[in-house]
Amino acid sequence: MDYDTKVINRMKRIEGQVRGLIKMMDEGKDCRDVVTQMSAVRSAIDRTAALVVSSNLERCIREEKVNGETSEDLIKEAVNLLVKSR
């Protein structure tokens, strides 16, 4: 699968957030602040995972329609991926 530059840029921002989080921990920042940043990172990863799954699902469904196949199994797999990511 080819990943959109928007998705890659999101992951780079998340990488920066994680680096910032490690720096906060190294500096002994307050627990509440660290956990807040951890939640932000988790949320960003969840949104990015959903974007990747939805983009892939859309592409696969279009291919299946062209081939005259059903997309039911693809939808089930996409839902399972989203559930597993949580």
Side-chain angles (χ1 to χ4, degrees):
M1 175 175 172
D2 291 329
Y3 294 96
D4 188 297
T5 55
K6 290 179 185 178
V7 171
I8 293 169
N9 287 338
R10 280 178 180 239
M11 291 305 299
K12 288 178 181 180
R13 278 194 303 275
I14 292 167
E15 179 183 26
Q17 284 180 293
V18 171
R19 281 196 198 117
L21 187 54
I22 293 168
K23 182 179 178 189
M24 288 175 70
M25 295 171 100
D26 286 341
E27 294 172 352
K29 298 290 183 178
D30 185 67
C31 170
R32 287 180 219 111
D33 295 334
V34 170
V35 171
T36 298
Q37 288 304 311
M38 286 178 169
S39 294
V41 169
R42 180 181 354 175
S43 179
I45 288 194
D46 287 345
R47 287 190 312 270
T48 304
L51 180 63
V52 168
V53 170
S54 66
S55 298
N56 187 49
L57 178 62
E58 181 182 347
R59 182 185 54 79
C60 289
I61 287 175
R62 287 178 191 208
E63 288 175 6
E64 295 251 328
K65 280 186 177 182
V66 168
N67 297 331
E69 299 172 10
T70 180
S71 56
E72 186 175 323
D73 290 337
L74 288 171
I75 293 170
K76 286 180 185 177
E77 183 180 353
V79 169
N80 287 335
L81 279 172
L82 289 173
V83 168
K84 188 187 298 186
S85 73
R86 282 302 290 149

